Amino acid sequence: MTTPTATTGTTAVTRAVGTAHTRVEGRAKVTGAARYAGEIPYAELAHGWLVLSTVARGRIRSVEDTSVLGMPGVLAVLHHGNAPRLDGNYMSAFGPPDPVLQLFQHDRVPFVGWPVALVVAETPEQAREAAEALVVQYEKEPHDAAFFAGRPGMYTPENAETAKGDLESELAASAVVVDAEYGTPEEHHSPMEPHAAMARWDNGRLEVVDSNQGSGFVAGELANLFSLDPDSVRVRSEHVGGGFGSKGTRPHSVLAVMAATVLHRPVRVVLTRRQMFSLVGYRSPTAQRVRLGADTDGRLRAFDHQAESLTSTVHEFVESSANFGHAMYGADALHTVNRVVRLDVPTPSWMRAPGEAPGSFAVESAVDELAEKCGIDPIALRVRNEPAVGPVSGMPFSSRNVLACYREGARRFGWVDRDPRPGIRREGRWLLGTGMAASAFPTLSAPSTAAVTAEADGTFTVRITAADIGTGARTALTQIAADALEIGPGRVRVRIADSDFGPAMIAGGSMGTRSWAWAINVAASELRGQLALGGGIPPQGITARSDTSEAVGALTKRERNAFGAQFAEVAVDVTSGEVRVRRLLGIFAAGRIVNPLTARGQFIGGMVWGLSMALHEEAIRDQASGGHVGADLAGYHFAAHADIPPIEADWVDDPDPDDPVGIKGIGEIGVVGTAAAIANAVWHATGVRHRNLPIRPDRVLTATAGGHA
């Protein structure tokens, strides 16, 4: 393979985008030089420890803080009776703020784990001891935390339903019909680094060091909540140990600011693992019904996907599982709807591949069932229902290379040798099976700003309020900037995660690198134009800035998605019910790949999460208390190293012609479809359909008699 080069003057520069590049911050991380929000030292730093409600619904009758205030090192106990007032009457980029951010503003308790007090002390140990000693009295009220399919109170939010054609007529005219219900449990994103924030006032300016996915967004939220001039708030988040949708503006950062304001000294608040289960969002459980109607040759006439999820009583969040099919399959009639019910539980939130992860499990399982009923190979059936335009939008695709994913995946996996009959292959007590599923995730762009400076020493500095939550974004942006400037990556320094650098997209929705790269390209192009004028570089350097708002707004209306195909081989122990995934393969069409090294890690990481979703993850809520059973990483099981088989991830050529770099986004697509591929493989091994996740050993054993689980 020939590595592309560009020529600057007389010097040939190897193109950086598309080549494997180790992380630019890698040495700092493995040597401990990289500091995270919870470990940076500050003079006179005080520590806050959060106290959460133990009742699921009611009012706070009293916070008995007198004795606690006399404990060693205790500086303050903040609660609804003495906390500063906050302003929750504003609209952010993602809608109205979750009331959980409006801390200590009233005596109402809407769920177990609602913040009721913050104890601040000289040391974390003193704060924790005092917080555990604090007595809070409640007036309890009856609560309802029970989620189940079709329960009373379900409603359809605005813009949550789509329809075309006469669905019932097409179902009635279909020779083959699948009508099945699927369920996924409550799931939690619990990143390795807990949520932490330090706040302090410096010469009238608020400085916050936080673990987040978008420093600019957090700064804006804090300015609104505390009625501050936006320019007086600075938020930094240089190193983040995972986010997955959980690290937006969360209570810990608001409480750190509140305490620092009251005490006039720096305060740090770090959430415990148990507190994260109620305060930083989670994936709602879902109940989904999929109806597919087809001719005998497998061509779809009707596609119906109805999804139900829950939200809290204080803030609406919809897990849009029914949206997955909007980009996947053509049908004469199509109907999708997302319904939600308000319960006395914490508010769900975005969790990696929101909507698409649970939605793909239902749809891709149902498509596999349709292929079985039609007697058609699952890949052939999917190919037969490839849409020419967006099934819902009617718009042309920017690019759609999912067929290449099927072909390459089938070739590598050895799909052609598969015996389609279930329950045939056996090794001793193990039944063997293979399955596949398709995946898709929307490709979006958001306006962002960037600044690129040519330094007097011949290097270049990029400043952008991007966030690297462990994905390698900092390295990818270094490569992108190097190519845009037509220099080597070694001459580029990328500074990120500082709200002072200007507005930029958060790290989320597989939109980060795509949006940031666009802004960097525009600024770099402007800078190259300035440098071409000559005249030398002054000591302060020469800086060019960009704002992609107009360019993003002018994008041609198209259906934009990343696609993929997932393949799984499983072994099922007929005596214990244990399911072991023996191998996984994912082939993706996800735009131009900037850094193959970190991209492969993203794809494989997503597939690991999909395996964990299929076989392990399940949060149990006690209906009597309204709280979790085992809200920790001992009670909430996820895949460990021993659970993970050899995983292969690769991609086909699929640049987006409307993006300056050709990027689509890769953060979520690896998760999508993996659970369905594993469930379909379990059916192929056993002849039993599992329509509820996770596929636990007890479900495998008890499902044998009933035919499905």
Side-chain angles (χ1 to χ4, degrees), residues 612-613 615-619 630 632-640 643:
S612 195
M613 174 184 177
L615 302 181
H616 303 290
E617 297 192 38
E618 181 179 25
D632 50 45
L633 298 187
Y636 181 80
H637 185 58
F638 56 89
D643 297 307

Side-chain angles (χ1 to χ4, degrees), residues 25-304:
E25 83 285 10
R27 181 180 294 275
K29 284 186 173 178
V30 299
T31 60
R35 294 292 186 94
Y36 293 82
E39 58 185 11
I40 302 173
Y42 290 93
E44 299 185 325
L45 180 65
H47 301 268
W49 201 277
L50 193 55
V51 179
L52 304 183
S53 70
T54 56
V55 302
R57 185 180 179 89
R59 292 185 178 275
I60 302 169
R61 193 164 64 229
S62 64
V63 178
E64 300 175 4
D65 58 359
T66 302
S67 61
V68 168
L69 287 167
M71 294 179 69
V74 173
L75 301 169
V77 178
L78 299 177
H79 51 81
H80 73 281
N82 62 13
R85 297 297 91 186
L86 299 175
D87 182 5
N89 187 26
Y90 66 91
M91 192 69 68
S92 76
F94 299 101
D98 188 335
V100 77
L101 299 179
Q102 296 152 46
L103 293 142
F104 311 155
Q105 303 298 292
H106 54 77
D107 63 357
R108 291 292 309 172
V109 174
F111 54 78
V112 170
W114 178 263
V116 296
L118 181 76
V119 177
V120 187
E122 296 286 356
T123 70
E125 293 80 10
Q126 291 170 333
R128 177 176 184 172
E129 183 180 9
E132 291 176 348
L134 184 68
V135 175
V136 181
Q137 302 287 355
Y138 302 94
E139 291 180 7
K140 292 179 63 174
E141 299 173 2
H143 67 269
D144 184 0
F147 175 81
F148 51 88
R151 64 150 293 155
M154 286 284 178
Y155 67 94
T156 303
E158 187 177 359
N159 301 320
E161 187 167 13
T162 62
K164 74 170 187 179
D166 189 332
L167 181 74
E168 297 302 330
S169 293
E170 293 296 342
L171 281 169
S174 296
V176 183
V177 173
V178 169
D179 185 345
E181 295 182 356
Y182 304 86
T184 61
E186 180 179 320
E187 300 165 354
H188 285 260
H189 37 21
S190 195
M192 185 178 296
E193 180 207 13
H195 297 62
M198 184 287 306
R200 66 177 180 177
W201 288 92
D202 184 12
N203 294 320
R205 195 165 193 235
L206 176 64
E207 178 187 4
V208 177
V209 176
D210 183 33
S211 178
N212 65 53
Q213 293 180 228
S215 294
F217 175 72
V218 173
E221 293 272 282
L222 294 175
N224 281 321
L225 285 165
F226 288 90
S227 302
L228 300 172
D229 183 335
D231 291 335
S232 70
V233 181
R234 183 188 188 189
V235 176
R236 293 181 292 131
S237 184
E238 184 174 0
H239 297 291
V240 180
F244 314 114
S246 73
K247 287 185 175 174
T249 308
R250 297 300 183 187
H252 68 288
S253 55
V254 180
L255 289 171
V257 175
M258 184 180 287
T261 302
V262 170
L263 294 174
H264 306 290
R265 62 186 287 185
V267 177
R268 175 180 290 147
V269 177
V270 181
L271 297 185
T272 67
R273 186 68 60 184
R274 183 172 290 272
Q275 289 168 351
M276 288 164 59
F277 273 78
S278 63
L279 290 180
V280 301
Y282 58 96
R283 200 191 308 280
S284 166
T286 70
Q288 304 178 59
R289 182 186 183 189
V290 179
R291 294 189 295 170
L292 304 177
D295 294 333
T296 54
D297 63 357
R299 188 185 67 83
L300 281 170
R301 301 176 65 105
F303 181 104
D304 179 34

